[in-house]
Amino acid sequence: MGAPKRPTFLTVLCILSFIGCGLGVFSGITGYFSYKAMSSIGDGMQDEWKQAMDNAMENAAAEEGMGDAGAELARGLGDALGGATNFSAMANSSLIQGLLCILIFVGVFMMWKLKKTGFYIYTVGQIALVATPFLLVGGLAGGMMATLGAIFPIIFIILYGLNLKHMS
């Protein structure tokens, strides 16, 4: 009697995850350097951009006849969008996400070897990966990135969970 055979479904999930981890590491590294380059240009302009955004929102609210409440709502929207221009935070978020993909890779490799511990490492890594933009970038931009970034991890965690019975 040899080693237990890995189910085909688990093999396919692991291969897809290996590919995803490789792309995640590449994306994290390139994103880090791209955002760092943009931060040297854009972070100094963040206050000016926020002021311009506030003025534009207030003018739009005034043109629509929304009054003070509309102007306040417009300022709030401008503040929420402000996180989208924090390139330093986005660079750090990209780097951390790339590093977390290495942790996720370790979890997937352990599941490839049919080790149940890999599932828990994978799950923790995916939760941290999804939470990173929300925590570091913040605001509406970070929330949107975290929400959209949670779709595939949730699906894969469920699918791997269905295969726990094959792992020891």
Side-chain angles (χ1 to χ4, degrees):
M1 177 130 189
K5 185 171 174 358
R6 183 181 333 100
T8 304
F9 184 54
L10 181 59
T11 300
V12 170
L13 283 175
C14 288
I15 289 171
L16 290 173
S17 294
F18 286 139
I19 293 168
C21 288
L23 292 172
V25 169
F26 178 76
S27 175
I29 292 169
T30 57
Y32 173 77
F33 288 111
S34 297
Y35 286 127
K36 272 299 185 190
M38 291 190 314
S39 74
S40 65
I41 299 166
D43 281 351
M45 297 173 33
Q46 191 165 359
D47 290 334
E48 290 84 3
W49 185 87
K50 183 185 177 323
Q51 185 61 44
M53 177 65 94
D54 285 347
N55 290 340
M57 293 293 206
E58 287 175 19
N59 290 340
E63 287 177 14
E64 294 296 320
M66 296 172 70
D68 290 337
E72 188 62 34
L73 178 64
R75 274 192 294 279
L77 181 59
D79 289 343
L81 292 173
T85 61
N86 189 346
F87 296 123
S88 293
M90 292 174 87
N92 293 337
S93 177
S94 288
L95 182 62
I96 290 170
Q97 287 177 313
L99 294 172
L100 284 169
C101 284
I102 296 170
L103 176 69
I104 292 167
F105 179 87
V106 169
V108 173
F109 185 74
M110 290 177 75
M111 287 188 284
W112 179 267
K113 296 288 188 181
L114 298 176
K115 303 290 182 201
K116 196 178 278 190
T117 306
F119 173 76
Y120 302 111
I121 292 170
Y122 175 85
T123 302
V124 168
Q126 287 289 18
I127 291 169
L129 186 76
V130 169
T132 298
F134 182 74
L135 297 173
L136 292 182
V137 176
L140 185 60
M144 285 176 41
M145 286 191 273
T147 302
L148 293 175
I151 296 169
F152 283 110
I154 289 170
I155 292 170
F156 271 68
I157 288 169
I158 292 168
L159 293 175
Y160 277 123
L162 295 173
N163 284 282
L164 278 175
K165 61 184 173 244
H166 304 291
M167 300 178 210
S168 58

